[in-house]
Amino acid sequence: MSYASINFIVFVSLTVLAYFALPLKKHKWVVLLISSYIFYLFAGYKYVAFIIFTTVSTYVIALWLDKISRRSKETLQVNKKEWDKDTKKQFKNTTKRNKRLVLALCLMLNFGILAFLKYFNFFAGSLNDVFGAFGMSFSVPTLKLFLPLGISFYTFQSMGYIVDVYREKFPAERNIAKFALFVSFFPQIIQGPISFYDQLAHQLYEPHKMDFTRFKHGCELTLWGYFKKLVIADRAVIAINAVVADYNSQNGTVLTFTILLYALQLYADFSGGIDISRGIAQILGIDMAENFRRPYFSKSISEYWRRWHITLGAWMKEYIFYPLSLSGLFLNTSKKMKATKFGATKAGAHIAKVLPTAVASLIVFLVVGIWHGASWKYVAFGLWNGGIIMLSILMKPLFDAAIKKLHINSKNVLWILFQMIRTFIIVCIGYVFDVAPSFRQAAWTFKSMVVNQSIGHILGQVFGLGLDMINLVVLVISSFVLLFVSICQEKTDQHIRCILDKKSVLIRYGAVLFLLTAVLVFGLYDSGNSTATFVYAQF
């Protein structure tokens, strides 16, 4: 059931109608659960077993963790006067160890399934390459595996929940049907956002009444998402696919143009899909987490990742970055470095202080790269972003000193513009790993972009990439609309819907009519049979 199909529009309309019309009072969430599983069944019945397994295993193990925590507190309370301090400490350590084992079981089961389905063939192929390099005839067989719809997103969301229950941030959900809704809520199942349980769950379970303003804002956000996806992203991808189909014959100019076009297509595709999802949820009275905040206005690569795929970054920070950077190993290493002669120097003291943060950042982005895809090019993508962030953390005093010595005003418009352009170039270098079919071809791309430019023939080359004059004009105009709206939002730090609410009726409805016309007339529609039409749906 593609987002761009009539079936999906009818499905969402019926869900909204049933949610608000049926007199279910406190049990409106049941409509959302039924709709979510109907949506998932449309994606393919063979996928359902995987999401049910994640739901049931996480639900049961969360109750198990809850039971251990509750019994531990009861035992401590009963023996408060009889046990001495050492006995209490030993009991607490035993309880903590048991909880860790139970948590590890859940993580291994669910991340194990994800890793097997997503990465088995990648590791098998890599091992076979190693065996071949040493002249060994043995090879690991590859398997015909499929990747269930949204498995990365619902696995990450569920595992975040189980870790929070382990940490006793909140008690385990006792209603398995309610928990199943949290895992499978249909607007977020294809490509997120990845939600935290305490941010989303209560909104799913609480009944919501029809609110005209929320309904209007939700429809506007959904329409804006369709504009970005169908008018911009799906038009830009035509040219990108034409290049990728004959990648090795392209010169550096075409490849450079393709990377820039990919930056536009990826942002419009992913953020457009998220806007559709968040818009539908808002119509139902549910506020899902914001996932983008105009990342191409970022002044550093760190800021870019705080603005791009915000919920993935928040998940990585909460469940990987903090546990690593605050772990005994990292803190003790920092402490030992401070005690050395190098640590006594100004540079050494700084490096010792920030080393846990820098190394943890590198590891996080290595994980982010691997999460993006089963290929060495995605490992390189993660190391590129993580390496830049690691170096920026370690060398911050040098950068600050250089800026001070050069008397650069950090609020100067030209300096801010330079930072944005510099960051965008760094981001686009990372995008080369996304676009190139392999790591080897990515390396060739960098060389070609430097030594094989043919700028004088750029127009003729662009028109040879599957975009005729009309489509190119539509793409350019719609991209300027996106840029204009983004600048307005960046200046006011408000949603465009709130900005429109303050304008006259003519401007408000004129803007909506423009978007609706653009989507209906210039939107590119597929057959409506595929749900994996978004770039991030494959993750």
Side-chain angles (χ1 to χ4, degrees), residues 129-181:
D129 289 341
V130 173
F131 294 150
F134 285 94
M136 300 171 64
S137 59
F138 175 78
S139 65
V140 180
T142 56
L143 304 174
K144 291 183 178 180
L145 300 173
F146 61 86
L147 202 60
L149 181 69
I151 185 172
S152 290
F153 294 98
Y154 70 68
T155 300
F156 273 48
Q157 187 160 300
S158 301
M159 295 306 97
Y161 162 81
I162 199 71
V163 171
D164 285 343
V165 171
Y166 163 82
R167 293 173 175 174
E168 300 182 24
K169 188 176 180 180
F170 44 73
E173 174 57 56
R174 303 203 171 274
N175 188 322
I176 191 171
K178 284 186 174 180
F179 182 67
L181 172 59

Short mmCIF file of all heavy atoms in Angstrom, two decimals, residues 129-181:
data_model
loop_
_atom_site.label_atom_id
_atom_site.label_comp_id
_atom_site.label_asym_id
_atom_site.label_seq_id
_atom_site.Cartn_x
_atom_site.Cartn_y
_atom_site.Cartn_z
N ASP A 129 35.47 -13.18 -0.15
CA ASP A 129 36.53 -12.38 -0.78
C ASP A 129 37.88 -12.63 -0.11
O ASP A 129 38.92 -12.72 -0.78
CB ASP A 129 36.18 -10.89 -0.70
CG ASP A 129 35.02 -10.51 -1.60
OD1 ASP A 129 34.73 -11.28 -2.55
OD2 ASP A 129 34.39 -9.46 -1.36
N VAL A 130 37.85 -12.75 1.23
CA VAL A 130 39.09 -13.02 1.98
C VAL A 130 39.61 -14.41 1.63
O VAL A 130 40.82 -14.59 1.37
CB VAL A 130 38.84 -12.91 3.50
CG1 VAL A 130 40.07 -13.37 4.28
CG2 VAL A 130 38.48 -11.48 3.87
N PHE A 131 38.71 -15.40 1.61
CA PHE A 131 39.12 -16.77 1.25
C PHE A 131 39.72 -16.81 -0.15
O PHE A 131 40.73 -17.48 -0.40
CB PHE A 131 37.94 -17.72 1.34
CG PHE A 131 37.39 -17.91 2.73
CD1 PHE A 131 36.04 -18.19 2.94
CD2 PHE A 131 38.21 -17.78 3.84
CE1 PHE A 131 35.54 -18.35 4.22
CE2 PHE A 131 37.72 -17.94 5.13
CZ PHE A 131 36.38 -18.22 5.32
N GLY A 132 39.08 -16.07 -1.08
CA GLY A 132 39.57 -16.05 -2.46
C GLY A 132 40.94 -15.40 -2.57
O GLY A 132 41.79 -15.83 -3.36
N ALA A 133 41.16 -14.35 -1.75
CA ALA A 133 42.45 -13.65 -1.78
C ALA A 133 43.59 -14.56 -1.33
O ALA A 133 44.74 -14.40 -1.76
CB ALA A 133 42.39 -12.41 -0.90
N PHE A 134 43.27 -15.55 -0.44
CA PHE A 134 44.29 -16.47 0.04
C PHE A 134 44.28 -17.79 -0.73
O PHE A 134 44.91 -18.77 -0.33
CB PHE A 134 44.09 -16.75 1.53
CG PHE A 134 44.52 -15.62 2.42
CD1 PHE A 134 43.60 -14.66 2.84
CD2 PHE A 134 45.84 -15.48 2.81
CE1 PHE A 134 43.99 -13.62 3.66
CE2 PHE A 134 46.24 -14.44 3.63
CZ PHE A 134 45.32 -13.50 4.04
N GLY A 135 43.52 -17.82 -1.84
CA GLY A 135 43.50 -19.00 -2.69
C GLY A 135 42.76 -20.18 -2.12
O GLY A 135 43.00 -21.33 -2.51
N MET A 136 41.85 -19.93 -1.19
CA MET A 136 41.09 -21.02 -0.56
C MET A 136 39.83 -21.30 -1.37
O MET A 136 39.14 -20.38 -1.81
CB MET A 136 40.72 -20.65 0.88
CG MET A 136 41.93 -20.37 1.75
SD MET A 136 41.49 -19.69 3.38
CE MET A 136 40.56 -21.05 4.07
N SER A 137 39.51 -22.56 -1.57
CA SER A 137 38.34 -22.94 -2.36
C SER A 137 37.06 -22.91 -1.54
O SER A 137 35.96 -22.90 -2.10
CB SER A 137 38.54 -24.34 -2.94
OG SER A 137 38.74 -25.29 -1.91
N PHE A 138 37.18 -22.89 -0.22
CA PHE A 138 35.99 -22.90 0.64
C PHE A 138 35.25 -21.58 0.52
O PHE A 138 35.85 -20.50 0.42
CB PHE A 138 36.41 -23.12 2.09
CG PHE A 138 35.26 -23.03 3.06
CD1 PHE A 138 34.37 -24.09 3.20
CD2 PHE A 138 35.05 -21.87 3.81
CE1 PHE A 138 33.31 -24.01 4.10
CE2 PHE A 138 34.00 -21.78 4.69
CZ PHE A 138 33.12 -22.85 4.84
N SER A 139 33.92 -21.62 0.51
CA SER A 139 33.12 -20.41 0.45
C SER A 139 31.88 -20.56 1.33
O SER A 139 31.33 -21.66 1.46
CB SER A 139 32.70 -20.09 -0.99
OG SER A 139 31.84 -21.10 -1.49
N VAL A 140 31.46 -19.44 1.92
CA VAL A 140 30.24 -19.42 2.74
C VAL A 140 29.06 -19.20 1.81
O VAL A 140 29.05 -18.23 1.04
CB VAL A 140 30.30 -18.30 3.80
CG1 VAL A 140 29.03 -18.29 4.65
CG2 VAL A 140 31.53 -18.46 4.67
N PRO A 141 28.06 -20.04 1.84
CA PRO A 141 26.90 -19.86 0.94
C PRO A 141 26.09 -18.63 1.32
O PRO A 141 25.95 -18.30 2.50
CB PRO A 141 26.09 -21.14 1.13
CG PRO A 141 26.45 -21.62 2.51
CD PRO A 141 27.89 -21.23 2.71
N THR A 142 25.57 -17.93 0.33
CA THR A 142 24.64 -16.82 0.58
C THR A 142 23.21 -17.35 0.54
O THR A 142 22.94 -18.39 -0.06
CB THR A 142 24.81 -15.71 -0.47
OG1 THR A 142 24.64 -16.27 -1.78
CG2 THR A 142 26.19 -15.07 -0.37
N LEU A 143 22.32 -16.65 1.20
CA LEU A 143 20.95 -17.10 1.33
C LEU A 143 19.99 -16.12 0.67
O LEU A 143 20.30 -14.93 0.54
CB LEU A 143 20.58 -17.24 2.82
CG LEU A 143 21.48 -18.15 3.66
CD1 LEU A 143 21.08 -18.07 5.13
CD2 LEU A 143 21.42 -19.59 3.17
N LYS A 144 18.84 -16.62 0.26
CA LYS A 144 17.79 -15.76 -0.29
C LYS A 144 16.96 -15.21 0.87
O LYS A 144 16.00 -15.83 1.32
CB LYS A 144 16.91 -16.53 -1.27
CG LYS A 144 17.62 -16.93 -2.56
CD LYS A 144 16.66 -17.63 -3.51
CE LYS A 144 17.37 -17.98 -4.82
NZ LYS A 144 16.45 -18.67 -5.77
N LEU A 145 17.38 -14.05 1.37
CA LEU A 145 16.73 -13.46 2.53
C LEU A 145 15.91 -12.25 2.11
O LEU A 145 16.21 -11.58 1.12
CB LEU A 145 17.77 -13.03 3.56
CG LEU A 145 18.68 -14.15 4.11
CD1 LEU A 145 19.77 -13.55 4.97
CD2 LEU A 145 17.87 -15.16 4.90
N PHE A 146 14.87 -11.95 2.86
CA PHE A 146 14.10 -10.74 2.63
C PHE A 146 14.15 -9.89 3.89
O PHE A 146 14.38 -10.40 5.00
CB PHE A 146 12.64 -11.07 2.26
CG PHE A 146 11.89 -11.82 3.33
CD1 PHE A 146 11.25 -11.16 4.36
CD2 PHE A 146 11.84 -13.21 3.30
CE1 PHE A 146 10.57 -11.86 5.34
CE2 PHE A 146 11.17 -13.92 4.28
CZ PHE A 146 10.51 -13.24 5.30
N LEU A 147 13.96 -8.60 3.74
CA LEU A 147 14.01 -7.69 4.87
C LEU A 147 12.59 -7.22 5.17
O LEU A 147 11.98 -6.51 4.37
CB LEU A 147 14.91 -6.49 4.54
CG LEU A 147 15.48 -5.71 5.73
CD1 LEU A 147 16.34 -6.62 6.60
CD2 LEU A 147 16.30 -4.53 5.24
N PRO A 148 12.02 -7.63 6.32
CA PRO A 148 10.65 -7.22 6.65
C PRO A 148 10.51 -5.70 6.69
O PRO A 148 11.44 -4.98 7.09
CB PRO A 148 10.44 -7.82 8.04
CG PRO A 148 11.37 -8.99 8.10
CD PRO A 148 12.58 -8.55 7.31
N LEU A 149 9.36 -5.22 6.30
CA LEU A 149 9.08 -3.79 6.25
C LEU A 149 9.31 -3.14 7.61
O LEU A 149 8.77 -3.57 8.62
CB LEU A 149 7.63 -3.57 5.81
CG LEU A 149 7.18 -2.12 5.69
CD1 LEU A 149 7.87 -1.44 4.52
CD2 LEU A 149 5.66 -2.06 5.50
N GLY A 150 10.15 -2.09 7.63
CA GLY A 150 10.34 -1.29 8.83
C GLY A 150 11.05 -1.99 9.97
O GLY A 150 11.01 -1.51 11.11
N ILE A 151 11.75 -3.12 9.71
CA ILE A 151 12.32 -3.90 10.80
C ILE A 151 13.35 -3.12 11.62
O ILE A 151 13.41 -3.24 12.85
CB ILE A 151 12.93 -5.23 10.29
CG1 ILE A 151 13.40 -6.09 11.46
CG2 ILE A 151 14.05 -4.97 9.30
CD1 ILE A 151 13.83 -7.49 11.07
N SER A 152 14.15 -2.27 10.96
CA SER A 152 15.13 -1.47 11.71
C SER A 152 14.45 -0.50 12.64
O SER A 152 14.87 -0.31 13.79
CB SER A 152 16.04 -0.72 10.74
OG SER A 152 16.90 -1.59 10.06
N PHE A 153 13.37 0.11 12.17
CA PHE A 153 12.68 1.13 12.96
C PHE A 153 11.95 0.53 14.15
O PHE A 153 12.08 1.00 15.28
CB PHE A 153 11.73 1.94 12.07
CG PHE A 153 12.44 2.75 11.04
CD1 PHE A 153 12.58 2.30 9.74
CD2 PHE A 153 13.01 3.97 11.37
CE1 PHE A 153 13.26 3.04 8.79
CE2 PHE A 153 13.69 4.73 10.43
CZ PHE A 153 13.82 4.25 9.14
N TYR A 154 11.16 -0.54 13.91
CA TYR A 154 10.41 -1.09 15.05
C TYR A 154 11.33 -1.85 16.01
O TYR A 154 11.05 -1.94 17.21
CB TYR A 154 9.21 -1.91 14.61
CG TYR A 154 9.44 -3.25 13.95
CD1 TYR A 154 9.97 -4.33 14.65
CD2 TYR A 154 9.05 -3.46 12.63
CE1 TYR A 154 10.14 -5.57 14.05
CE2 TYR A 154 9.22 -4.70 12.02
CZ TYR A 154 9.77 -5.75 12.74
OH TYR A 154 9.94 -6.97 12.13
N THR A 155 12.46 -2.39 15.50
CA THR A 155 13.41 -3.06 16.40
C THR A 155 14.08 -2.04 17.30
O THR A 155 14.18 -2.24 18.53
CB THR A 155 14.47 -3.84 15.60
OG1 THR A 155 13.82 -4.83 14.80
CG2 THR A 155 15.45 -4.53 16.53
N PHE A 156 14.57 -0.94 16.74
CA PHE A 156 15.21 0.10 17.54
C PHE A 156 14.23 0.67 18.56
O PHE A 156 14.58 0.90 19.73
CB PHE A 156 15.74 1.22 16.63
CG PHE A 156 17.13 0.97 16.12
CD1 PHE A 156 17.47 -0.26 15.56
CD2 PHE A 156 18.11 1.95 16.18
CE1 PHE A 156 18.75 -0.50 15.08
CE2 PHE A 156 19.39 1.72 15.71
CZ PHE A 156 19.71 0.49 15.17
N GLN A 157 13.01 0.91 18.15
CA GLN A 157 12.01 1.49 19.05
C GLN A 157 11.70 0.53 20.19
O GLN A 157 11.62 0.95 21.36
CB GLN A 157 10.74 1.81 18.26
CG GLN A 157 9.70 2.57 19.06
CD GLN A 157 8.69 3.27 18.17
OE1 GLN A 157 9.06 4.12 17.36
NE2 GLN A 157 7.43 2.93 18.30
N SER A 158 11.56 -0.76 19.88
CA SER A 158 11.25 -1.76 20.91
C SER A 158 12.42 -1.96 21.86
O SER A 158 12.23 -2.10 23.08
CB SER A 158 10.89 -3.09 20.25
OG SER A 158 9.78 -2.95 19.40
N MET A 159 13.64 -1.98 21.32
CA MET A 159 14.81 -2.17 22.18
C MET A 159 15.08 -0.95 23.05
O MET A 159 15.59 -1.07 24.17
CB MET A 159 16.04 -2.51 21.33
CG MET A 159 15.93 -3.87 20.60
SD MET A 159 15.54 -5.27 21.67
CE MET A 159 13.73 -5.39 21.46
N GLY A 160 14.73 0.24 22.57
CA GLY A 160 14.80 1.41 23.43
C GLY A 160 13.86 1.27 24.61
O GLY A 160 14.19 1.62 25.75
N TYR A 161 12.66 0.74 24.34
CA TYR A 161 11.67 0.51 25.39
C TYR A 161 12.20 -0.47 26.43
O TYR A 161 12.10 -0.22 27.65
CB TYR A 161 10.38 -0.02 24.76
CG TYR A 161 9.44 -0.70 25.73
CD1 TYR A 161 8.58 0.05 26.52
CD2 TYR A 161 9.40 -2.09 25.83
CE1 TYR A 161 7.70 -0.59 27.41
CE2 TYR A 161 8.54 -2.73 26.71
CZ TYR A 161 7.70 -1.97 27.50
OH TYR A 161 6.84 -2.60 28.37
N ILE A 162 12.78 -1.58 25.99
CA ILE A 162 13.24 -2.61 26.94
C ILE A 162 14.39 -2.08 27.80
O ILE A 162 14.50 -2.39 28.99
CB ILE A 162 13.63 -3.92 26.22
CG1 ILE A 162 13.64 -5.10 27.20
CG2 ILE A 162 14.97 -3.82 25.53
CD1 ILE A 162 12.27 -5.51 27.66
N VAL A 163 15.26 -1.26 27.22
CA VAL A 163 16.37 -0.68 28.00
C VAL A 163 15.81 0.28 29.05
O VAL A 163 16.29 0.31 30.19
CB VAL A 163 17.37 0.05 27.08
CG1 VAL A 163 18.39 0.83 27.90
CG2 VAL A 163 18.09 -0.95 26.17
N ASP A 164 14.80 1.06 28.69
CA ASP A 164 14.19 1.98 29.65
C ASP A 164 13.50 1.24 30.78
O ASP A 164 13.51 1.69 31.94
CB ASP A 164 13.20 2.91 28.94
CG ASP A 164 13.91 3.99 28.13
OD1 ASP A 164 15.11 4.22 28.36
OD2 ASP A 164 13.26 4.59 27.25
N VAL A 165 12.86 0.11 30.47
CA VAL A 165 12.26 -0.72 31.53
C VAL A 165 13.36 -1.28 32.43
O VAL A 165 13.23 -1.29 33.66
CB VAL A 165 11.41 -1.85 30.93
CG1 VAL A 165 10.97 -2.84 32.02
CG2 VAL A 165 10.19 -1.29 30.21
N TYR A 166 14.45 -1.72 31.83
CA TYR A 166 15.60 -2.20 32.60
C TYR A 166 16.12 -1.12 33.54
O TYR A 166 16.47 -1.39 34.70
CB TYR A 166 16.70 -2.66 31.64
CG TYR A 166 18.06 -2.80 32.27
CD1 TYR A 166 18.40 -3.95 32.98
CD2 TYR A 166 19.02 -1.78 32.15
CE1 TYR A 166 19.65 -4.09 33.57
CE2 TYR A 166 20.26 -1.90 32.73
CZ TYR A 166 20.58 -3.05 33.44
OH TYR A 166 21.81 -3.17 34.03
N ARG A 167 16.17 0.11 33.05
CA ARG A 167 16.64 1.23 33.86
C ARG A 167 15.60 1.71 34.87
O ARG A 167 15.86 2.63 35.65
CB ARG A 167 17.03 2.40 32.95
CG ARG A 167 18.24 2.14 32.07
CD ARG A 167 18.43 3.30 31.09
NE ARG A 167 19.64 3.15 30.29
CZ ARG A 167 19.99 3.97 29.29
NH1 ARG A 167 19.20 5.00 28.97
NH2 ARG A 167 21.10 3.76 28.62
N GLU A 168 14.41 1.11 34.83
CA GLU A 168 13.29 1.48 35.70
C GLU A 168 12.84 2.92 35.48
O GLU A 168 12.41 3.61 36.41
CB GLU A 168 13.64 1.23 37.17
CG GLU A 168 13.98 -0.21 37.47
CD GLU A 168 14.29 -0.47 38.94
OE1 GLU A 168 13.82 0.29 39.78
OE2 GLU A 168 15.02 -1.44 39.23
N LYS A 169 12.92 3.32 34.23
CA LYS A 169 12.44 4.65 33.87
C LYS A 169 10.93 4.71 33.96
O LYS A 169 10.34 5.74 34.30
CB LYS A 169 12.90 4.99 32.44
CG LYS A 169 12.64 6.42 32.01
CD LYS A 169 13.23 6.68 30.63
CE LYS A 169 12.99 8.10 30.18
NZ LYS A 169 13.57 8.36 28.83
N PHE A 170 10.26 3.60 33.67
CA PHE A 170 8.82 3.45 33.81
C PHE A 170 8.52 1.96 33.90
O PHE A 170 9.35 1.13 33.51
CB PHE A 170 8.06 4.08 32.63
CG PHE A 170 8.64 3.79 31.28
CD1 PHE A 170 8.52 2.52 30.70
CD2 PHE A 170 9.34 4.76 30.57
CE1 PHE A 170 9.06 2.24 29.47
CE2 PHE A 170 9.90 4.48 29.33
CZ PHE A 170 9.75 3.22 28.78
N PRO A 171 7.35 1.59 34.44
CA PRO A 171 7.01 0.16 34.53
C PRO A 171 6.67 -0.42 33.17
O PRO A 171 6.30 0.30 32.25
CB PRO A 171 5.79 0.16 35.46
CG PRO A 171 5.18 1.51 35.29
CD PRO A 171 6.34 2.45 35.07
N ALA A 172 6.78 -1.72 33.06
CA ALA A 172 6.46 -2.41 31.81
C ALA A 172 4.97 -2.31 31.51
O ALA A 172 4.14 -2.33 32.43
CB ALA A 172 6.88 -3.87 31.89
N GLU A 173 4.63 -2.17 30.23
CA GLU A 173 3.23 -2.15 29.80
C GLU A 173 2.64 -3.55 29.99
O GLU A 173 3.19 -4.54 29.52
CB GLU A 173 3.13 -1.73 28.34
CG GLU A 173 1.74 -1.82 27.74
CD GLU A 173 0.73 -1.00 28.51
OE1 GLU A 173 0.95 0.22 28.67
OE2 GLU A 173 -0.27 -1.60 28.95
N ARG A 174 1.49 -3.63 30.67
CA ARG A 174 0.90 -4.94 30.99
C ARG A 174 -0.14 -5.37 29.97
O ARG A 174 -0.53 -6.53 29.94
CB ARG A 174 0.28 -4.91 32.39
CG ARG A 174 1.31 -4.52 33.44
CD ARG A 174 0.95 -5.01 34.82
NE ARG A 174 2.08 -4.80 35.73
CZ ARG A 174 3.09 -5.65 35.89
NH1 ARG A 174 3.11 -6.77 35.20
NH2 ARG A 174 4.07 -5.38 36.72
N ASN A 175 -0.59 -4.47 29.13
CA ASN A 175 -1.57 -4.81 28.09
C ASN A 175 -0.81 -5.08 26.80
O ASN A 175 -0.27 -4.16 26.18
CB ASN A 175 -2.56 -3.66 27.91
CG ASN A 175 -3.71 -4.02 27.00
OD1 ASN A 175 -3.52 -4.72 26.00
ND2 ASN A 175 -4.90 -3.54 27.31
N ILE A 176 -0.77 -6.34 26.38
CA ILE A 176 0.03 -6.70 25.21
C ILE A 176 -0.52 -6.06 23.93
O ILE A 176 0.24 -5.73 23.01
CB ILE A 176 0.12 -8.23 25.04
CG1 ILE A 176 1.18 -8.57 23.97
CG2 ILE A 176 -1.24 -8.84 24.73
CD1 ILE A 176 1.50 -10.05 23.87
N ALA A 177 -1.83 -5.84 23.87
CA ALA A 177 -2.42 -5.22 22.68
C ALA A 177 -1.98 -3.76 22.57
O ALA A 177 -1.69 -3.26 21.48
CB ALA A 177 -3.94 -5.32 22.73
N LYS A 178 -1.93 -3.07 23.71
CA LYS A 178 -1.46 -1.68 23.70
C LYS A 178 0.00 -1.62 23.29
O LYS A 178 0.41 -0.74 22.51
CB LYS A 178 -1.66 -1.05 25.07
CG LYS A 178 -3.10 -0.67 25.39
CD LYS A 178 -3.18 0.09 26.71
CE LYS A 178 -4.59 0.60 26.96
NZ LYS A 178 -4.69 1.35 28.23
N PHE A 179 0.80 -2.54 23.82
CA PHE A 179 2.21 -2.54 23.45
C PHE A 179 2.39 -2.85 21.96
O PHE A 179 3.27 -2.29 21.30
CB PHE A 179 2.99 -3.54 24.29
CG PHE A 179 4.46 -3.55 23.98
CD1 PHE A 179 5.26 -2.45 24.29
CD2 PHE A 179 5.05 -4.63 23.36
CE1 PHE A 179 6.61 -2.44 23.98
CE2 PHE A 179 6.40 -4.64 23.04
CZ PHE A 179 7.19 -3.54 23.36
N ALA A 180 1.54 -3.74 21.44
CA ALA A 180 1.59 -4.07 20.01
C ALA A 180 1.33 -2.83 19.17
O ALA A 180 1.92 -2.65 18.10
CB ALA A 180 0.56 -5.16 19.69
N LEU A 181 0.45 -1.95 19.63
CA LEU A 181 0.18 -0.70 18.91
C LEU A 181 1.41 0.20 18.92
O LEU A 181 1.77 0.79 17.89
CB LEU A 181 -1.01 0.02 19.54
CG LEU A 181 -1.30 1.44 19.02
CD1 LEU A 181 -1.56 1.43 17.52
CD2 LEU A 181 -2.47 2.06 19.77
#
